[in-house]
Structures are given as structure tokens and as C-alpha cells.
């Protein structure tokens, strides 16, 4: 078992032999793939690449108030992954397409009037590559296109559009705040003027100019409450502006948005807001009696903080449940959105609590005299409008400064220039890939040809199939001379040729294949056309040349060829006549030459199997063995008829001829199984028609150590000289 497994292993020598045998297939494949690669490089459209390098600064503080109120200014590197996605956003590419009028460009270039903006955007997206430089805030924008000038223009325009987008996104919050304040100021100014006119007219008409002390204190209290309400209302609008800016920014990145209305209608959020209002009212009541250091005040403030924390957690829970596919790159934006919505809810609950407290003080106004109530209301309106007007003016200036301070965060490091050398195709790399691919496909083709080739061309396979039976001879390819009457008799026509020497060596190997030397040798093959008759005739002649009285017996009663190989006319008397008509053996023997006789088949019988199995056949061969020293029998192929196996029991062994490149592997396997089943003795195999690639060092020896070989070698040297 181990020996059989060892034989099945493919060695390096086997691989080299396979490649040597099919070298030209491998070589042709490599050359073909290499040629296709060269043709591709000649026909491929060159692609040029233009690149822009930009430095993306971290988001800076937006206003002077923010700058001065911060305890320390620290910048962090921007989230480059977010910036990369932002650069390649559809909005940016669409702007580039419009600015450069690329729809018309591609229509004219392709002569296709059906191209629309969507097609151009899709095409442009495939041309653009945005890659961050590791561990820096620098981003490289590369554009590849067959038109080098267009590649440069697209790269530069995309960098410019991206910087404008950053400015617009950063400015949105301040712009929304400024626009709101600018809308409110004229209204408040007009309302303030109307209140002042009403107050002035009231005083002149009723001759009442000042409030008493109690009314003045009540006025001051309500004024302070109104001031707080107005301040928180402005904060509410600022937070709303910020939420709107964040929402717009997320929309531009195609991210899912959760609105403030969705959050506010949540029942848990509503309960927490109501609780927060109650706690703030309680705190206000306590502060009228107790100081900030009082334990009750501290406890109440702690409850307010916990409620605000719970409110924030609930808002975060709502946002995260709605936005399940959030990209980690946008986490900071969603975090700001959650914080802003929480602040909005806290400010709204604070306004509600202050208005609740204010309503209690407003009830006291009804206890004042009628004129004093009217004066009170007018004074109160005037002070509230003045305060609100002042706050709006202050906020307007602050917002203008913040808005003006917004600059683009993308700084151009290197602008794109018109490329002069194409980046695709990379000729050296493509040729290298073509070469490697050619080698790989060549190897694959060699193995596929070997796998699908059912013919035998490997001596090791024969040895393995015949279970260790020896290879008795290796016969090189024979070239038959056209002028000879018997071109197949190599040992006679060219006695010193490599082929003749190989046949003689085969005869010698048969002599030593058994002890004692086999006297009666049958030559057969698995199928027709494998050279068994040629081998049988030349082995018989080799025996005769060695001085042995030899008989060449033709028992191929189906397609006899002995006469043709020997170059003699068809003889109509032979084995058949002796077996059927009892013609004496002496009359059917034909002397061919010194030490060699032949017995042809004679007339082809209707039933060869019956003759070969008869007692007369056994007696016939027995008589011949007493007369000759060596008998070589030419038998029909094993798979063509059972004749070979029938006759084999009268012989000392069978020689199986295998023709390289002709004999099929399944045929050899079945032939060997039939030999084993019939208990015939297999002396060994003879490999016929071997080429130099198949024969290897055997061919070298045959060629260089024969007279023919030396002559050819001398001729070759003379030609070289």
C-alpha cells in the first residue's frame, strides 16, 4: 500500500517532464497573453490625474462672546472621514457640474443628446477620489479623466465648492439668528414707540405721573419677571436656529432627521417638563424666604438637576431609536442636536414656571385703583419693551460679529495643474501583470492538457499500471525510408541507428527477463496501430543476428501484417492450412534469411478462436519449439480479440507493446486486467515511438553512442563551422 501511494505522488522530475513535453503550449500561451497585453496598451485610452491638496482646519469658535467666555481655547483635528464624505456629496458634485457646464461638455463629446445631470454626476463620482493623509488634517482630491485640462478644472472647482459649502454650513446658525433678530427689532421698536405715546398721553390727560411705593415695587417685580421671560424666549429662538442649522447640515449629508416636534409630543418628555416647571416654582417660593445655602433650596436644586438629566437621557433615547443607521462620523452632530433639544425643553419649562409665578403677581394689580392700574400697565409695557429692544440690539451686534467671523475651514495647499503624463494604463505594471498572467495561464493550460490527455506518454505511468513489470525496451520514433522494400525492418536497413540499437537492446532485455530465458515469446498490444508487428519482426531478426535459430510465427488471424513488414508477397499457405487440412509443417515454413524462418497465417479462417483453442494448435507449437531456439509470435491486440490470451498459455510470456502518444490509458488498464485474469505471464512492456522529449536521457545515450549519431553530430559541427 505504501509503495502504491509513493508511486502516486508527483515529483519535481514528473512536473519538469510534463512541462518539457508540453513546452510549446506553455510558450505559446505566454506569448499570446503578452501580445494581447501589448495590443491593449496600444489601444487603451490614456487617463490623466489632477490632484488638489487642502488642509481642513478644526471648527473654530463662532463669536467674540464664545472666545472670551471660554476658559481655554483648544482645537482638535477635524473628523476627516466626515469631511471626505462631505467633499464627495451629491450637492457638491452637482454644483461643480453646473459651474463648469459639464452636461453640455459630455453631450458634445459623446454626441448623445439624452445625457442629463444625473448621468454626469454619476460619471463624475467615479472619477473623483478623496484620500486623507494619515495622521494629518490634509486631504487629497484626485480626478482622473482622459482630458487632462478637464481633470484639472474639476479638481480645482471641487475644492472651491467644498470650501464655500463649509462657510455656508458654519454660517447657517448665525444667519438664522441674525435674521430672526432683524425681523423682531422693527416690531419691538414700533411697539415701544406706541407704548411711550400712550403713557405720555395718559399722564397728560389724567394728571397722574408716578406710582405709589407699593405699586412701584409690584411693577419692579413684574418687570424683572418679564425680563427673564424675554431673555429665555430669545434663548429659545437661538436654540431653534441652531437646531435648524444642524438639521439642514444633516439633510445635506443625506442623514435621517428627528424633529423637535417629535420629541416634545413624547409623553415621558411632557411629564418631565411638567415636573421641572413645578420644581422651579417651588424653588422660587423658597428663595423668597430662605437663602441659597438653605438645605431645602439645595435639595430642590438637586432635584431640578436630576430632572434635567433625565430629560436629556429621554431625548437621547428618542433620537437614537429613530436614527438606527447613524454613521459614527456624524455622532458629534447628533450629540449637538440632542443637547440643543434638551436646552430647548429646559428653557420652555423655565418660561412656563416664570409665567406661572408672574400670573400670581398680576392678580394683585386688580386691587389697585383704576387710574393706578392703567398707569401701572403702561409703565410695565414701556419697561418691558425698552428692555427687550435693548437685548435685541445687543444680540444683533453680537450675532453680526459672529457671522462675519466665519471663514472657510479648507485651506488650499496645492492647486491642481494640467497633468502631462497619463497614470493609466501603467505600462510597466500592466506588462508585468500580463507576463505573470501569461505564465499562470500557461501553467494552467499545461495541467489541463495533461489532465484531459488520455494517451500514455509517461514511462512511470506504465510502470505503475503494470504493477512493477519492467520496461523491456524504449524504441525511438522511426522514420521509414521511402526507397526500401521493407522500411520497417530497422535492424536490417539501419543496423547502427539509435532505433536499431534500441530494438536489439529490447531483444536482450527479453532474454534476461526470466530464468531460464524465454523461448517462446508472444508480442501483442492493447489496441491496433501500436506497432506490435514491427516490434515482433525486428526482435526476431535481432535473435537471428545473434546466432539463434529463430521462427517468426504470425498468429494474427484477423489482420495479419508479417508479410507486409518483411516486404514479401502475401502467401496463401500457412498456419490455417496446417490446422484445417493437415498440410505438413515443413511446407508452410518459409525461410527468410540466415537463422530466421517465418510461418504466415495463410488463408484467414472464419473462426480463429476455434483453431487457436484446438489440440492441434498446442501440438503445432510444441513441434516448433523442438525445432527452433527462439520463437516470436505476432498476436492480435488484446482488446480486439481473445486470441492473445488463448495463445499465451502455450508461450513463456507476453511482451506488451505500448505506443507513446497513441495508446489510451483506459485501454492499457483493461488489457493488463485481462492478462491478470487469464493468468498469462507478462514479461514486460516495450514503449514504441518515443520522441526526444519523452525519452529523455535514454535518447541521449542512443543518439551519441551509435554510428548514426556520431555522423549526425559531425555533420552538425561542420555546418556550424
Amino acid at each position: 500500500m505504501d509503495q502504491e501511494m509513493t508511486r502516486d505522488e508527483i515529483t519535481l522530475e514528473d512536473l519538469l517532464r510534463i512541462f518539457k513535453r508540453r513546452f510549446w503550449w506553455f510558450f505559446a500561451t505566454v506569448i499570446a497573453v503578452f501580445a494581447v497585453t501589448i495590443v491593449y496598451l496600444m489601444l487603451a485610452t490614456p487617463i490623466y490625474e489632477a490632484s488638489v491638496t487642502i488642509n481642513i482646519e478644526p471648527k473654530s469658535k463662532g463669536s467674540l462672546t464664545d472666545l472670551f467666555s471660554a476658559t481655554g481655547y483648544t482645537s482638535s483635528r477635524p473628523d476627516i472621514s466626515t469631511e471626505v464624505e462631505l467633499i464627495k456629496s451629491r450637492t457638491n458634485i452637482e454644483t461643480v457640474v453646473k459651474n463648469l457646464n459639464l452636461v453640455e461638455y459630455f453631450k458634445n463629446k459623446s454626441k448623445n443628446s439624452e445625457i442629463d445631470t444625473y448621468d454626469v454626476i454619476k460619471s463624475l463620482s467615479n472619477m473623483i477620489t478623496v484620500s486623507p493623509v494619515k495622521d494629518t488634517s490634509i486631504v487629497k482630491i484626485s480626478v482622473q479623466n482622459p482630458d487632462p485640462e478637464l481633470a484639472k478644472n474639476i479638481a480645482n472647482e471641487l475644492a472651491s465648492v467644498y470650501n464655500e459649502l463649509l462657510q455656508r454650513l458654519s454660517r447657517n446658525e448665525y444667519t438664522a439668528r441674525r435674521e430672526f433678530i432683524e425681523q423682531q427689532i422693527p416690531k419691538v421698536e414700533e411697539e415701544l414707540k406706541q407704548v411711550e405715546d400712550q403713557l405720555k398721553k395718559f399722564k397728560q390727560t389724567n394728571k397722574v405721573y408716578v406710582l405709589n411705593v407699593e405699586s412701584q415695587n409690584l411693577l419692579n417685580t413684574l418687570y424683572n419677571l418679564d425680563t427673564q421671560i424675554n431673555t429665555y424666549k430669545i434663548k429659545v429662538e437661538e436654540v431653534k436656529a441652531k437646531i435648524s442649522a444642524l438639521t439642514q447640515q444633516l439633510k445635506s449629508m443625506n442623514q435621517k432627521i428627528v424633529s423637535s416636534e417629535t420629541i416634545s409630543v413624547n409623553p415621558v418628555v411632557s411629564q418631565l417638563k411638567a415636573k421641572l416647571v413645578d420644581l422651579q416654582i417651588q424653588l422660587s417660593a423658597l428663595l423668597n424666604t430662605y437663602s441659597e445655602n438653605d438645605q431645602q433650596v439645595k435639595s430642590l436644586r438637586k432635584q431640578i438637576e436630576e430632572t434635567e438629566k433625565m430629560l436629556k437621557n429621554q431625548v437621547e433615547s428618542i433620537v437614537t431609536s429613530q436614527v438606527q443607521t447613524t454613521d459614527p462620523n456624524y455622532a458629534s452632530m447628533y450629540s449637538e442636536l440632542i443637547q440643543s433639544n434638551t436646552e430647548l425643553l429646559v428653557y420652555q419649562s423655565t418660561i412656563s414656571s416664570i409665567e406661572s409665578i408672574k400670573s400670581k403677581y398680576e392678580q394683585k394689580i386688580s386691587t389697585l385703583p383704576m387710574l393706578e392700574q392703567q398707569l401701572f400697565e403702561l409703565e410695565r409695557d414701556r419697561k418691558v419693551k425698552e428692555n427687550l429692544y435693548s437685548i435685541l440690539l445687543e444680540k444683533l451686534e453680537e450675532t453680526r460679529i459672529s457671522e462675519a467671523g466665519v471663514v472657510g475651514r479648507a485651506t488650499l495647499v496645492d492647486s491642481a495643474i494640467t497633468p502631462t503624463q497619463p497614470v493609466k494604463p501603467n505600462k510597466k505594471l500592466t506588462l508585468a501583470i500580463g507576463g505573470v498572467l501569461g505564465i499562470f495561464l500557461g501553467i494552467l493550460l499545461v495541467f489541463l492538457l495533461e489532465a484531459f490527455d488520455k494517451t500514455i506518454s509517461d514511462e512511470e505511468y506504465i510502470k505503475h499500471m503494470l504493477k512493477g513489470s519492467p520496461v523491456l525496451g524504449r524504441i525511438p520514433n522511426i522514420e521509414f525510408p521511402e526507397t526500401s522494400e521493407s522500411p520497417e525492418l530497422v535492424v536490417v536497413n539501419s543496423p547502427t541507428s539509435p532505433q536499431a540499437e534500441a530494438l536489439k537492446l529490447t531483444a536482450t532485455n527479453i532474454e534476461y527477463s526470466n530464468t531460464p530465458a524465454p523461448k517462446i515469446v508472444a508480442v501483442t498490444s492493447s489496441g491496433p496501430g501500436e506497432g506490435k508487428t514491427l516490434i515482433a519482426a525486428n526482435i526476431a531478426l535481432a535473435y537471428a543476428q545473434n546466432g539463434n535459430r529463430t521462427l517468426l510465427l504470425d498468429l494474427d488471424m484477423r489482420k495479419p501484417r508479417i508479410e507486409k513488414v518483411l516486404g514479401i508477397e502475401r502467401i496463401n499457405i500457412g498456419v490455417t492450412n496446417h490446422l484445417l487440412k493437415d498440410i505438413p509443417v515443413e511446407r508452410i515454413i518459409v525461410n527468410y534469411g540466415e537463422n530466421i524462418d517465418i510461418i504466415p497465417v495463410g488463408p484467414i479462417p472464419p473462426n480463429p478462436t476455434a483453431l487457436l483453442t484446438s489440440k492441434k494448435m498446442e501440438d503445432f507449437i510444441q513441434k516448433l519449439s523442438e525445432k527452433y531456439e527462439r520463437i516470436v509470435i505476432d498476436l492480435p491486440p488484446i482488446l480486439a480479440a481473445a486470441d492473445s490470451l488463448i495463445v499465451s498459455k502455450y508461450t513463456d510470456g507476453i511482451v506488451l507493446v505500448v505506443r507513446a502518444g497513441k495508446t489510451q490509458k483506459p485501454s492499457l488498464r483493461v488489457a493488463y486486467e485481462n492478462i491478470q485474469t487469464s493468468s498469462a505471464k507478462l514479461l514486460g512492456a516495450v514503449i514504441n515511438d518515443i520522441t526526444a522529449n519523452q525519452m529523455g536521457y535514454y535518447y541521449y545515450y542512443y543518439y551519441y553512442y551509435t554510428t548514426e549519431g556520431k555522423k549526425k553530430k559531425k555533420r552538425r559541427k561542420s555546418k556550424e563551422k
Side-chain angles (χ1 to χ4, degrees):
M1 182 68 180
D2 293 339
Q3 185 180 0
E4 204 170 305
M5 288 178 65
T6 304
R7 287 175 179 170
D8 288 339
E9 292 178 358
I10 297 178
T11 64
L12 179 60
E13 185 179 356
D14 295 331
L15 292 175
L16 292 176
R17 187 165 53 250
I18 291 171
F19 272 94
K20 186 177 181 181
R21 192 165 57 245
R22 306 187 186 277
F23 171 76
W24 288 110
W25 284 102
F26 172 77
F27 182 74
T29 303
V30 174
I31 294 301
V33 173
F34 202 73
V36 170
T37 304
I38 293 175
V39 171
Y40 162 74
L41 291 175
M42 293 173 63
L43 299 179
T45 303
I47 303 297
Y48 295 87
E49 181 179 89
S51 300
V52 170
T53 306
I54 58 177
N55 181 36
I56 303 175
E57 298 294 340
K59 189 174 181 180
S60 59
K61 296 292 181 177
S63 66
L64 293 177
T65 305
D66 294 333
L67 287 172
F68 289 113
S69 63
T71 55
Y73 180 81
T74 58
S75 64
S76 60
R77 210 166 46 237
D79 190 339
I80 295 298
S81 299
T82 303
E83 303 299 336
V84 167
E85 293 300 320
L86 194 58
I87 292 171
K88 295 177 65 177
S89 65
R90 183 186 56 80
T91 303
N92 275 359
I93 296 177
E94 186 175 1
T95 305
V96 171
V97 170
K98 291 180 180 178
N99 292 350
L100 297 179
N101 196 20
L102 294 182
V103 175
E104 291 300 321
Y105 173 86
F106 282 103
K107 281 183 179 179
N108 296 333
K109 185 178 180 180
S110 62
K111 297 180 180 179
N112 183 2
S113 59
E114 296 181 358
I115 293 178
D116 56 15
T117 304
Y118 175 78
D119 297 328
V120 178
I121 291 173
K122 186 177 180 181
S123 176
L124 214 61
S125 298
N126 296 329
M127 300 178 192
I128 298 169
T129 304
V130 182
S131 54
V133 179
K134 188 177 180 181
D135 297 330
T136 68
S137 58
I138 295 177
V139 172
K140 183 180 180 182
I141 304 174
S142 301
V143 179
Q144 293 184 353
N145 192 274
D147 185 345
E149 190 67 25
L150 180 63
K152 180 199 74 172
N153 293 339
I154 292 174
N156 287 330
E157 186 64 25
L158 182 58
S160 176
V161 168
Y162 168 64
N163 192 33
E164 291 174 1
L165 176 65
L166 288 183
Q167 288 181 341
R168 188 167 63 254
L169 293 176
S170 299
R171 192 179 291 120
N172 279 346
E173 176 186 344
Y174 303 111
T175 302
R177 187 188 302 178
R178 174 182 56 78
E179 289 175 351
F180 165 74
I181 295 173
E182 287 177 344
Q183 291 174 0
Q184 296 300 314
I185 286 178
K187 296 178 182 178
V188 175
E189 186 178 10
E190 181 63 26
E191 290 174 358
L192 176 59
K193 185 177 180 182
Q194 290 177 1
V195 170
E196 287 178 343
D197 290 343
Q198 289 176 4
L199 180 60
K200 182 178 180 181
K201 186 176 180 181
F202 177 82
K203 288 181 177 181
Q204 290 176 351
T205 304
N206 297 291
K207 306 299 181 181
V208 179
Y209 299 101
V210 293
L211 296 170
N212 59 33
V213 176
E214 183 180 355
S215 299
Q216 188 64 44
N217 290 336
L218 180 60
L219 176 62
N220 292 337
T221 301
L222 288 172
Y223 168 74
N224 290 332
L225 293 173
D226 286 332
T227 302
Q228 292 180 41
I229 290 172
N230 289 333
T231 302
Y232 280 111
K233 282 183 177 180
I234 292 174
K235 288 183 178 181
V236 165
E237 295 302 327
E238 289 177 349
V239 171
K240 285 182 177 179
K242 186 175 182 180
I243 292 172
S244 176
L246 286 170
T247 301
Q248 185 178 352
Q249 189 170 354
L250 288 169
K251 280 183 179 178
S252 68
M253 299 175 186
N254 298 320
Q255 296 298 305
K256 190 173 181 181
I257 305 301
V258 180
S259 65
S260 300
E261 289 76 11
T262 303
I263 296 171
S264 61
V265 297
N266 182 272
V268 178
V269 171
S270 300
Q271 290 177 6
L272 291 172
K273 280 180 64 178
K275 182 180 179 181
L276 193 60
V277 171
D278 291 339
L279 291 173
Q280 287 172 338
I281 293 173
Q282 293 177 34
L283 178 62
S284 177
L286 283 175
L287 289 175
N288 289 332
T289 309
Y290 302 100
S291 66
E292 286 285 348
N293 296 325
D294 187 80
Q295 190 63 36
Q296 296 181 58
V297 174
K298 290 181 179 180
S299 176
L300 206 55
R301 285 200 180 276
K302 187 175 181 181
Q303 291 182 46
I304 292 173
E305 290 176 3
E306 291 176 354
T307 305
E308 289 178 353
K309 186 177 180 181
M310 291 170 63
L311 188 62
K312 181 179 179 181
N313 292 338
Q314 184 61 29
V315 171
E316 185 175 359
S317 176
I318 294 170
V319 173
T320 53
S321 65
Q322 293 286 328
V323 188
Q324 296 177 353
T325 58
T326 304
D327 191 310
N329 296 326
Y330 305 107
S332 60
M333 292 186 188
Y334 281 110
S335 178
E336 286 186 43
L337 188 63
I338 291 168
Q339 181 64 34
S340 298
N341 276 290
T342 305
E343 290 176 358
L344 177 63
L345 294 172
V346 172
Y347 292 154
Q348 288 174 342
S349 64
T350 303
I351 292 172
S352 298
S353 63
I354 295 173
E355 286 179 343
S356 177
I357 296 170
K358 187 181 78 170
S359 63
K360 295 179 181 179
Y361 285 99
E362 287 178 339
Q363 293 175 2
K364 296 180 180 181
I365 299 175
S366 60
T367 61
L368 298 176
M370 184 59 65
L371 288 177
E372 196 167 356
Q373 284 185 32
Q374 294 177 3
L375 179 60
F376 182 91
E377 291 293 343
L378 291 172
E379 288 284 357
R380 177 187 172 189
D381 284 347
R382 181 182 62 80
K383 294 191 70 171
V384 169
K385 300 299 181 185
E386 284 181 348
N387 179 261
L388 180 58
Y389 184 70
S390 176
I391 292 174
L392 289 174
L393 290 176
E394 181 182 349
K395 290 291 183 180
L396 178 61
E397 292 303 317
E398 182 181 330
T399 305
R400 284 175 176 172
I401 294 172
S402 299
E403 185 181 17
V406 174
V407 294
R409 295 188 289 114
T411 305
L412 186 65
V413 178
D414 290 317
S415 60
I417 59 175
T418 304
T420 57
Q421 296 294 329
V423 294
K424 291 181 182 179
N426 187 328
K427 293 185 178 180
K428 291 182 179 179
L429 179 60
T430 305
L431 286 173
I433 293 174
V436 172
L437 181 62
I439 293 172
F440 171 77
L441 292 178
I443 293 172
L444 180 62
L445 180 63
V446 166
F447 279 109
L448 287 175
L449 290 174
E450 186 69 19
F452 288 105
D453 186 6
K454 298 301 181 182
T455 61
I456 297 173
S457 55
D458 187 359
E459 181 178 322
E460 293 301 320
Y461 180 84
I462 298 173
K463 290 179 179 179
H464 175 62
M465 183 57 63
L466 300 184
K467 307 297 182 183
S469 297
V471 175
L472 300 172
R474 303 163 184 86
I475 314 303
N477 177 263
I478 300 173
E479 297 179 1
F480 302 115
E482 297 179 359
T483 56
S484 175
E485 294 181 359
S486 54
E488 295 181 63
L489 300 181
V490 183
V491 296
V492 175
N493 297 330
S494 304
T496 60
S497 67
Q499 293 82 356
E501 293 297 336
L503 288 164
K504 293 175 185 178
L505 179 60
T506 302
T508 303
N509 288 337
I510 293 172
E511 286 283 293
Y512 293 102
S513 64
N514 196 19
T515 304
K519 187 175 185 178
I520 304 174
V521 178
V523 180
T524 184
S525 61
S526 59
E530 297 180 9
K532 64 177 181 59
T533 304
L534 180 148
I535 300 297
N538 281 280
I539 288 175
L541 288 170
Y543 281 149
Q545 289 176 356
N546 290 337
N548 296 311
R549 183 156 178 74
T550 307
L551 173 67
L552 178 58
L553 177 60
D554 189 357
L555 291 182
D556 188 348
M557 295 183 178
R558 303 179 187 268
K559 289 185 178 181
R561 286 191 70 249
I562 286 294
E563 291 100 330
K564 184 177 180 181
V565 171
L566 295 177
I568 60 178
E569 293 183 3
R570 181 86 166 85
I571 302 172
N572 290 323
I573 187 171
V575 177
T576 306
N577 303 90
H578 172 73
L579 296 176
L580 294 177
K581 298 182 179 181
D582 294 325
I583 294 177
V585 174
E586 290 75 12
R587 286 189 59 187
I588 64 174
I589 296 175
V590 178
N591 180 258
Y592 183 75
E594 185 180 357
N595 293 329
I596 184 167
D597 295 336
I598 65 168
I599 298 179
V601 170
I604 296 176
N607 189 358
T609 304
L611 290 179
L612 295 174
T613 56
S614 66
K615 185 69 170 61
K616 283 186 177 182
M617 173 59 71
E618 184 178 358
D619 295 339
F620 173 64
I621 294 178
Q622 182 63 34
K623 290 178 183 178
L624 293 176
S625 66
E626 295 172 357
K627 186 175 181 179
Y628 293 96
E629 295 177 292
R630 297 289 182 269
I631 298 175
V632 180
I633 303 175
D634 181 29
L635 294 174
I638 293 175
L639 300 184
D643 301 4
S644 297
L645 301 178
I646 294 170
V647 175
S648 65
K649 63 182 179 180
Y650 309 134
T651 68
D652 295 325
I654 295 176
V655 173
L656 188 62
V657 177
V658 178
R659 185 173 180 179
K662 168 72 174 178
T663 303
Q664 299 287 315
K665 293 176 181 178
S667 301
L668 179 63
R669 183 174 62 254
V670 174
Y672 177 73
E673 290 173 355
N674 290 340
I675 292 172
Q676 292 292 102
T677 304
S678 65
S679 299
K681 184 174 182 179
L682 179 63
L683 297 176
V686 176
I687 308 175
N688 184 30
D689 200 19
I690 297 180
T691 62
N693 287 339
Q694 296 164 335
M695 200 168 184
Y697 57 87
Y698 299 118
Y699 188 88
Y700 174 83
Y701 292 146
Y702 289 143
Y703 184 84
Y704 284 98
Y705 289 92
T706 60
T707 305
E708 289 293 324
K710 291 177 182 177
K711 289 179 181 178
K712 290 180 181 179
K713 186 177 180 183
K714 288 178 180 178
R715 284 194 224 110
R716 184 181 296 177
K717 288 184 176 179
S718 63
K719 286 180 181 179
E720 290 176 356
K721 290 180 180 178

